[in-house]
Amino acid sequence: MAIERIHSTDRMSRIVKHNGTVYLCGQTAGQAEWDIAEQTRQCLSKIENLLTEAGSNTASILSVTIYIRDMKDFAAMNAVWDAWVADLPKPARACVEARMARPEILVEMTVTAAEA
C-alpha cells in the first residue's frame, strides 16, 4: 500500500494519504488578536481546504481531536463548531485542554477523513 505525503518538510507532512484515509496535521490559527471563535473558524477553513486538496471533504471526516488552551473557551469554541457541523454527518470527536507551542494559539485540530 502506497503512502502519499503532501506538503512535507523535514519535520512533518500537512497531509498523509494511505489506504483511502486522509490524515491532516494539526491546524492552528494563532493570531494574537483573534479570540477563540475566530481561531476556530480559521482552523475549520484550513481543514476544508486541505481536505479538498486531498480528495476528501467535510462530510467524509471520521474523527477530530481538538486541543484547547483553556477550557474556559470551550463553550465559545463549541458554538463555532456546532454551526460548522450542523448539516454534516457528525464525526467522532475528542476535546482536551493542552499546553500549546505558542501562547497565542488557543485551539488546534487534527483530522482523519475518508477519501471522497
Side-chain angles (χ1 to χ4, degrees):
M1 303 266 172
I3 300 173
E4 182 179 359
R5 300 173 197 281
I6 303 169
H7 302 299
S8 295
T9 67
D10 289 341
R11 180 170 290 155
M12 56 172 257
S13 298
R14 292 189 72 192
I15 302 168
V16 176
K17 295 169 61 173
H18 175 66
N19 199 25
T21 305
V22 174
Y23 304 88
L24 302 183
C25 70
Q27 298 304 302
T28 65
Q31 299 294 328
E33 67 274 10
W34 289 347
D35 65 6
I36 188 72
E38 185 58 27
Q39 286 196 25
T40 301
R41 280 189 283 279
Q42 294 296 322
C43 286
L44 296 172
S45 177
K46 289 167 109 176
I47 288 166
E48 289 174 10
N49 292 336
L50 288 171
L51 287 174
T52 298
E53 182 176 353
S56 186
N57 56 54
T58 54
S60 298
I61 295 175
L62 303 171
S63 68
V64 178
T65 302
I66 301 171
Y67 304 93
I68 189 168
R69 189 179 78 186
D70 191 327
M71 279 297 175
K72 73 175 177 49
D73 291 329
F74 186 69
M77 180 278 299
N78 270 331
V80 176
W81 170 267
D82 290 345
W84 190 70
V85 297
D87 296 324
L88 296 174
K90 307 311 181 264
R93 187 186 108 160
C95 184
V96 298
E97 186 175 63
R99 186 173 305 164
M100 300 299 186
R102 295 188 323 270
E104 66 270 17
I105 298 172
L106 303 179
V107 63
E108 181 171 350
M109 298 182 191
T110 60
V111 171
T112 303
E115 287 186 275

